[in-house]
Amino acid sequence: RLGREGRASLASFLLGASVAVLPLLLGSSPALLAAPGLRGRLALALHVAGVNAALLLLYPRPLYKIAVRACFLGFAFGCGVLLSAGRSAWRHFGWYMCSLSLFHYSEYLVTAINNPRSLSLDSFLLNHSFEYNLAALSSWVEFTLEKLLFPELKQITWLSTVGLLMVIVGDCLRKAAMLTAGSNFNHIVQNEKSDTHTLVTSGVYGWFRHPSYVGWFYWSIGTQVLLCNPICVVGYALASWRFFRERIEEEEITLIHFFGEEYLEYKRKVPSGLPFIKGVKLEL
């Protein structure tokens, strides 16, 4: 079911992720790239240059824009695999890199499968918002500073494992919601009802009214538990809760306008799925 854009993105992601096999080609351990010396840096530079040249030759400019983003995410995923496979102090950050890159790429891939009409470069969610990018930067800064000042804090494997499980479950729930909703799912709240727009209440939508937001909420917090970032755990929880409260209220006004009593009945029976968020307070 993948169209041209989806196939190009998948091939490019895998091409970028092939950086994970560099240690095999160099006859060394993953630690060579986890803490690269001159040989490791040179291998990375040659890999990036070679892959980018291949993409330029393979794809015309419109597809190249897709391919280079997918390749970048694949490269980040491959580097995360290398960090995870090594025994360095950055191992858990490798888990984080894999989780973050896979989340953003799978947003594009599932959209390409489900709703190709809405597919765009924005479907990667790489430029989601200034606040989102600032939150990511804050988590990297906190991890780095605490790793320097309190290195033992970043070596709590059981806590990072809990965070990784939150990330996996959260992302799986979100993708299940996207696949269940099919063409009804869109990254942008719709203000006009299309002819194919239906109210989805089956599958994970029978558990929560907003399963994609529930998945994203716990995924985002899980990334900070994984990194053992105490400040960002609290910050992400508060910021994500506020964002989704406002987003759900905005979306439910639209859904009530689209489906009327049908949605209100669904709203009465099924919880939003997020703590202390009941949705818009509106009755017909």
Side-chain angles (χ1 to χ4, degrees), residues 50-62:
V51 167
N52 188 59
L55 295 180
L56 284 169
L57 292 174
L58 286 172
Y59 299 116
R61 184 160 182 80

Side-chain angles (χ1 to χ4, degrees), residues 189-193 197-199 209-210 247-268 278-284:
V189 175
Q190 301 297 291
N191 294 317
E192 295 184 7
K193 183 181 178 183
H197 204 163
T198 59
L199 179 62
R209 295 199 308 274
H210 302 280
R247 181 70 175 254
I248 285 172
E249 290 180 356
E250 176 188 358
E251 185 171 307
E252 290 195 339
I253 291 173
T254 301
L255 289 169
I256 291 171
H257 176 69
F258 285 177
F259 302 106
E261 184 60 36
E262 183 184 5
Y263 185 79
L264 288 174
E265 181 63 22
Y266 171 63
K267 184 176 184 295
R268 284 190 284 267
K278 297 184 180 299
V280 66
K281 297 178 182 178
L282 180 66
E283 297 289 342
L284 290 178

Side-chain angles (χ1 to χ4, degrees), residues 31 34-35 82-93 147 155:
L82 291 176
L83 288 176
S84 302
R87 294 293 177 181
S88 74
W90 293 87
R91 183 185 182 194
H92 297 155
F93 196 82
K147 182 178 178 299
Q155 300 303 312

Side-chain angles (χ1 to χ4, degrees), residues 14 17 54 61 109 125 173 187-188 198 200-201 218 246 260 271:
L14 294 175
R61 184 160 182 80
L109 184 65
L125 297 185
L173 177 59
H187 284 118
I188 301 173
T198 59
V200 181
T201 60
Y218 288 107
E246 295 174 354

